[in-house]
Amino acid sequence: MESGPPGGSGPAEPGPRLRGWRGADAAASASSLSRFGAEAGCRAPAVAAVLPAGGCGERMGVPTPKQFCPILERPLISYTLQALERVSWIKDIVVAVTRENMETMKGIIQRYQHKRISLVEAGVTRHRSIFNGLKVLAEDQPNCRLSKPEVVIIHDAVRPFVEEDVLLKVVTAAQEHGASGAIRPLVSTVISPSADSCLDHSLERARHRASEMPQAFLFDVIYEAYQQCSDYDLEFGTECLHLALKYSHIKAKLVEGSPDLWKVTYKRDLYAAESIIKERISQQVCIIMDTKEDEEHVGRCLEEMLKTELNHVKVISGQDLQQIILEQCYSFVCVNVMTSDFEETQRLLNMLEESNLSILYPVVVISEEQKLRESLRQGATIIAALIKERNSGLIGQLLVA
Amino acid sequence: MESGPPGGSGPAEPGPRLRGWRGADAAASASSLSRFGAEAGCRAPAVAAVLPAGGCGERMGVPTPKQFCPILERPLISYTLQALERVSWIKDIVVAVTRENMETMKGIIQRYQHKRISLVEAGVTRHRSIFNGLKVLAEDQPNCRLSKPEVVIIHDAVRPFVEEDVLLKVVTAAQEHGASGAIRPLVSTVISPSADSCLDHSLERARHRASEMPQAFLFDVIYEAYQQCSDYDLEFGTECLHLALKYSHIKAKLVEGSPDLWKVTYKRDLYAAESIIKERISQQVCIIMDTKEDEEHVGRCLEEMLKTELNHVKVISGQDLQQIILEQCYSFVCVNVMTSDFEETQRLLNMLEESNLSILYPVVVISEEQKLRESLRQGATIIAALIKERNSGLIGQLLVA
């Protein structure tokens, strides 16, 4: 199977994850941009993305369409948009949502400060929604801030863990071949039933692949395919690569994707997504102390203990709150040594409230120094457990270790 | 698509879930057995099950084979065995494990008190493992407690949420058709790549299905197929229904399964399984009180508050501990009103330790009555959060509401 982009000498660097460190993201994007120019030997194309998000989520078994289902109180689609926004070379992101969800979507964009997003109305099927997205990119009008891209990425709103790595691969392959899509090995054997629900034949698993997202196309290739395709295609089709083959005679290049590309389809997938997000995003901890130097060893001991269980721990004194917020750390442990009136902690909570950051809810643990010193290990265990689980029921509770 | 069993007048009753109430399970099994006789109009067949469990879990990305990965500290395969054991009409369960995991498997059977299990050595492929399982069922020897079944179920060790409902459907269909298997709609479009990793063609999603487990066969049908099939089939094949078709000329009846039948394949599936198990098993609560009647309202208030968040809450006084254990409740809240020396609680903990039940670890929350009464709502929130998450890091911690 194909792996790296054409001309690339090795696997692409893993893209930024849901880590929230702006500095790291910017560096990763810059290095990827240079890949277009220097390494891959081709110029960086103008790239836009279209996300059909008009589905009603019937397979989920919940009334909310799955793309709007909350994960740690933030809608699923917001994570997907964040993943695309982190890729600086995607100039525009067009999201197709139904009329009834238009205001919801506008609210999400505002609440989580999404950038480069344009909204269009979804069609009644996935293909019609994508077509609507392509149309606004095709119309190169003076009053429209959108302009026609050379390459368009099509992605699902319900695949939040897409990495820059695979986006770069499909875009590069689309530049060369006209169309490209991510694939994965089949998990189950695929069979063809007869009319009476009996086995007609089974397909050899090794000869087939699951077609996943993202896919990328030369804009003209996929737009022409959509313009030519039949109503039947628009109503019952599911596969953009198929349209490109049938109407534009382009054989898409297939790119092996990672397991992370899976599509949130069932309720169990929401559970899985939540666990993955918890694992990736929530384990940075700032320990905030209102401490004098001679008391500081308490914080340092706690930091050492937490480091064995969590993947990023730093100790900051109370004066640096503004700096912490800029760094988008989501978990805070306040150790109050000097006072027990929680004044400093309240100040932190107020700042977090007012900052209007695209934050997950912060975890605040307040520990009285006297008891913490007695059973520091116990305190560290509780703190680590709280941070790993991010159980909203324990937010704001006074837990004494 | 086919739904109910032949001759059945309506959908089967949902099978018992991971609820742990023996009474309910026994009732469900009895009613299903009667379906064979009375409703379905055919006699109850002798049924055995074969579970291939020799996989190495390479797709999981963890060193432990996925069937042995712990979920809430209990191996995945133990949940699957529990699901099959609950179905009283499955007489024998043959599990194929590799030689190096044989002792691990024996330990699991002992630890979780699994019944009706026989172990055989796994082959190097899935088909060879199943064949080994069938062989011990076929050999009707005087010294072997196994006897040849009329119908054999083949299931995966890594599909823990199988329900009696679908097992009954495939067994009934196998009786009539010779072979039967559960199917699900495809989540992704299936494509066929060309030799140069380009799209050759895509399959129409509506005309294909994913073949899942369980499957069931007349024993002679599938055993004959395995005896006749080629080494190539045994090495590279994945589909038992295909073997039955190719060598026994039996067109399997396909039965629509529920989304619960999915196969734990990737790490994300372990996360999903853990969340589902937490949701199903962990929300029964016993509130144990060492209380006099005039203090009882504290417990009642707590019970009412918890009922809004958890799906099964009951108040039991401390004297009924033995009864509680028999009922296999996994979550305990001890409210100590009379004393603060935790003597009663210690007694409960000792009994749980000694009972050697197939328990998940119990959650014990100790609250001092005086404070609990002051902030009962806060206590209920903490308790509900702990029980929903079952965070092992918080076990044994003294949390004061």
Side-chain angles (χ1 to χ4, degrees), chain B residues 133-147:
Chain B
L134 295 174
K135 279 178 195 163
V136 296
L137 288 169
E139 288 161 5
D140 225 341
Q141 294 166 353
N143 291 336
C144 178
R145 67 161 199 88
L146 296 172
S147 59

PDB file of all heavy atoms in Angstrom, chain B residues 133-147:
ATOM      1  N   GLY B 133     -11.392 -26.482  18.442  1.00  0.00           N
ATOM      2  CA  GLY B 133     -12.544 -26.484  19.345  1.00  0.00           C
ATOM      3  C   GLY B 133     -13.611 -27.476  18.899  1.00  0.00           C
ATOM      4  O   GLY B 133     -14.185 -28.202  19.709  1.00  0.00           O
ATOM      5  N   LEU B 134     -13.856 -27.520  17.612  1.00  0.00           N
ATOM      6  CA  LEU B 134     -14.862 -28.451  17.081  1.00  0.00           C
ATOM      7  C   LEU B 134     -14.438 -29.898  17.293  1.00  0.00           C
ATOM      8  O   LEU B 134     -15.260 -30.769  17.591  1.00  0.00           O
ATOM      9  CB  LEU B 134     -15.088 -28.175  15.588  1.00  0.00           C
ATOM     10  CG  LEU B 134     -15.702 -26.815  15.234  1.00  0.00           C
ATOM     11  CD1 LEU B 134     -15.736 -26.629  13.715  1.00  0.00           C
ATOM     12  CD2 LEU B 134     -17.112 -26.686  15.814  1.00  0.00           C
ATOM     13  N   LYS B 135     -13.129 -30.154  17.140  1.00  0.00           N
ATOM     14  CA  LYS B 135     -12.638 -31.535  17.265  1.00  0.00           C
ATOM     15  C   LYS B 135     -12.966 -32.123  18.637  1.00  0.00           C
ATOM     16  O   LYS B 135     -13.379 -33.275  18.724  1.00  0.00           O
ATOM     17  CB  LYS B 135     -11.122 -31.567  17.051  1.00  0.00           C
ATOM     18  CG  LYS B 135     -10.702 -31.567  15.587  1.00  0.00           C
ATOM     19  CD  LYS B 135      -9.171 -31.557  15.497  1.00  0.00           C
ATOM     20  CE  LYS B 135      -8.688 -31.202  14.102  1.00  0.00           C
ATOM     21  NZ  LYS B 135      -7.269 -30.809  14.107  1.00  0.00           N
ATOM     22  N   VAL B 136     -12.756 -31.326  19.717  1.00  0.00           N
ATOM     23  CA  VAL B 136     -13.020 -31.899  21.050  1.00  0.00           C
ATOM     24  C   VAL B 136     -14.508 -32.123  21.269  1.00  0.00           C
ATOM     25  O   VAL B 136     -14.904 -32.982  22.049  1.00  0.00           O
ATOM     26  CB  VAL B 136     -12.444 -31.053  22.218  1.00  0.00           C
ATOM     27  CG1 VAL B 136     -10.928 -31.008  22.139  1.00  0.00           C
ATOM     28  CG2 VAL B 136     -13.042 -29.676  22.269  1.00  0.00           C
ATOM     29  N   LEU B 137     -15.334 -31.364  20.575  1.00  0.00           N
ATOM     30  CA  LEU B 137     -16.776 -31.592  20.679  1.00  0.00           C
ATOM     31  C   LEU B 137     -17.191 -32.820  19.860  1.00  0.00           C
ATOM     32  O   LEU B 137     -18.146 -33.520  20.191  1.00  0.00           O
ATOM     33  CB  LEU B 137     -17.551 -30.370  20.204  1.00  0.00           C
ATOM     34  CG  LEU B 137     -17.522 -29.151  21.142  1.00  0.00           C
ATOM     35  CD1 LEU B 137     -18.084 -27.920  20.449  1.00  0.00           C
ATOM     36  CD2 LEU B 137     -18.306 -29.435  22.429  1.00  0.00           C
ATOM     37  N   ALA B 138     -16.474 -33.071  18.783  1.00  0.00           N
ATOM     38  CA  ALA B 138     -16.826 -34.192  17.905  1.00  0.00           C
ATOM     39  C   ALA B 138     -16.446 -35.537  18.512  1.00  0.00           C
ATOM     40  O   ALA B 138     -17.119 -36.540  18.294  1.00  0.00           O
ATOM     41  CB  ALA B 138     -16.126 -34.024  16.556  1.00  0.00           C
ATOM     42  N   GLU B 139     -15.364 -35.528  19.290  1.00  0.00           N
ATOM     43  CA  GLU B 139     -14.876 -36.792  19.843  1.00  0.00           C
ATOM     44  C   GLU B 139     -15.720 -37.205  21.039  1.00  0.00           C
ATOM     45  O   GLU B 139     -15.517 -36.746  22.151  1.00  0.00           O
ATOM     46  CB  GLU B 139     -13.401 -36.640  20.239  1.00  0.00           C
ATOM     47  CG  GLU B 139     -12.490 -36.552  19.017  1.00  0.00           C
ATOM     48  CD  GLU B 139     -11.122 -35.960  19.346  1.00  0.00           C
ATOM     49  OE1 GLU B 139     -10.845 -35.709  20.530  1.00  0.00           O
ATOM     50  OE2 GLU B 139     -10.350 -35.753  18.400  1.00  0.00           O
ATOM     51  N   ASP B 140     -16.637 -38.080  20.781  1.00  0.00           N
ATOM     52  CA  ASP B 140     -17.598 -38.503  21.788  1.00  0.00           C
ATOM     53  C   ASP B 140     -17.010 -39.648  22.615  1.00  0.00           C
ATOM     54  O   ASP B 140     -17.447 -40.784  22.519  1.00  0.00           O
ATOM     55  CB  ASP B 140     -18.885 -38.953  21.079  1.00  0.00           C
ATOM     56  CG  ASP B 140     -20.102 -38.372  21.779  1.00  0.00           C
ATOM     57  OD1 ASP B 140     -19.969 -37.963  22.941  1.00  0.00           O
ATOM     58  OD2 ASP B 140     -21.173 -38.344  21.146  1.00  0.00           O
ATOM     59  N   GLN B 141     -16.031 -39.306  23.415  1.00  0.00           N
ATOM     60  CA  GLN B 141     -15.302 -40.360  24.128  1.00  0.00           C
ATOM     61  C   GLN B 141     -15.867 -40.585  25.526  1.00  0.00           C
ATOM     62  O   GLN B 141     -16.369 -39.660  26.142  1.00  0.00           O
ATOM     63  CB  GLN B 141     -13.815 -39.983  24.224  1.00  0.00           C
ATOM     64  CG  GLN B 141     -13.141 -39.961  22.862  1.00  0.00           C
ATOM     65  CD  GLN B 141     -11.788 -39.280  22.905  1.00  0.00           C
ATOM     66  OE1 GLN B 141     -11.409 -38.705  23.918  1.00  0.00           O
ATOM     67  NE2 GLN B 141     -11.076 -39.351  21.807  1.00  0.00           N
ATOM     68  N   PRO B 142     -15.708 -41.807  26.032  1.00  0.00           N
ATOM     69  CA  PRO B 142     -16.275 -42.133  27.348  1.00  0.00           C
ATOM     70  C   PRO B 142     -15.678 -41.297  28.479  1.00  0.00           C
ATOM     71  O   PRO B 142     -16.387 -40.910  29.397  1.00  0.00           O
ATOM     72  CB  PRO B 142     -15.954 -43.630  27.530  1.00  0.00           C
ATOM     73  CG  PRO B 142     -15.038 -44.011  26.428  1.00  0.00           C
ATOM     74  CD  PRO B 142     -15.111 -42.981  25.367  1.00  0.00           C
ATOM     75  N   ASN B 143     -14.376 -40.972  28.390  1.00  0.00           N
ATOM     76  CA  ASN B 143     -13.744 -40.246  29.488  1.00  0.00           C
ATOM     77  C   ASN B 143     -13.888 -38.731  29.381  1.00  0.00           C
ATOM     78  O   ASN B 143     -13.458 -37.989  30.243  1.00  0.00           O
ATOM     79  CB  ASN B 143     -12.252 -40.591  29.573  1.00  0.00           C
ATOM     80  CG  ASN B 143     -12.061 -42.019  30.032  1.00  0.00           C
ATOM     81  OD1 ASN B 143     -12.943 -42.571  30.692  1.00  0.00           O
ATOM     82  ND2 ASN B 143     -10.940 -42.616  29.676  1.00  0.00           N
ATOM     83  N   CYS B 144     -14.443 -38.301  28.281  1.00  0.00           N
ATOM     84  CA  CYS B 144     -14.588 -36.856  28.052  1.00  0.00           C
ATOM     85  C   CYS B 144     -16.000 -36.437  28.442  1.00  0.00           C
ATOM     86  O   CYS B 144     -16.980 -37.060  28.045  1.00  0.00           O
ATOM     87  CB  CYS B 144     -14.329 -36.557  26.573  1.00  0.00           C
ATOM     88  SG  CYS B 144     -14.529 -34.823  26.158  1.00  0.00           S
ATOM     89  N   ARG B 145     -16.080 -35.373  29.217  1.00  0.00           N
ATOM     90  CA  ARG B 145     -17.412 -34.956  29.655  1.00  0.00           C
ATOM     91  C   ARG B 145     -18.157 -34.201  28.548  1.00  0.00           C
ATOM     92  O   ARG B 145     -19.346 -33.935  28.656  1.00  0.00           O
ATOM     93  CB  ARG B 145     -17.338 -34.121  30.936  1.00  0.00           C
ATOM     94  CG  ARG B 145     -16.664 -32.773  30.800  1.00  0.00           C
ATOM     95  CD  ARG B 145     -17.027 -31.833  31.955  1.00  0.00           C
ATOM     96  NE  ARG B 145     -16.746 -30.464  31.544  1.00  0.00           N
ATOM     97  CZ  ARG B 145     -17.583 -29.667  30.900  1.00  0.00           C
ATOM     98  NH1 ARG B 145     -18.791 -30.085  30.609  1.00  0.00           N
ATOM     99  NH2 ARG B 145     -17.234 -28.444  30.536  1.00  0.00           N
ATOM    100  N   LEU B 146     -17.458 -33.876  27.482  1.00  0.00           N
ATOM    101  CA  LEU B 146     -18.125 -33.181  26.375  1.00  0.00           C
ATOM    102  C   LEU B 146     -18.844 -34.182  25.486  1.00  0.00           C
ATOM    103  O   LEU B 146     -18.353 -35.282  25.258  1.00  0.00           O
ATOM    104  CB  LEU B 146     -17.103 -32.413  25.544  1.00  0.00           C
ATOM    105  CG  LEU B 146     -16.363 -31.275  26.254  1.00  0.00           C
ATOM    106  CD1 LEU B 146     -15.243 -30.743  25.373  1.00  0.00           C
ATOM    107  CD2 LEU B 146     -17.336 -30.169  26.615  1.00  0.00           C
ATOM    108  N   SER B 147     -19.983 -33.779  24.962  1.00  0.00           N
ATOM    109  CA  SER B 147     -20.647 -34.635  23.984  1.00  0.00           C
ATOM    110  C   SER B 147     -21.007 -33.792  22.768  1.00  0.00           C
ATOM    111  O   SER B 147     -21.154 -32.571  22.855  1.00  0.00           O
ATOM    112  CB  SER B 147     -21.893 -35.279  24.586  1.00  0.00           C
ATOM    113  OG  SER B 147     -22.775 -34.255  25.013  1.00  0.00           O
TER     114      SER B 147
END
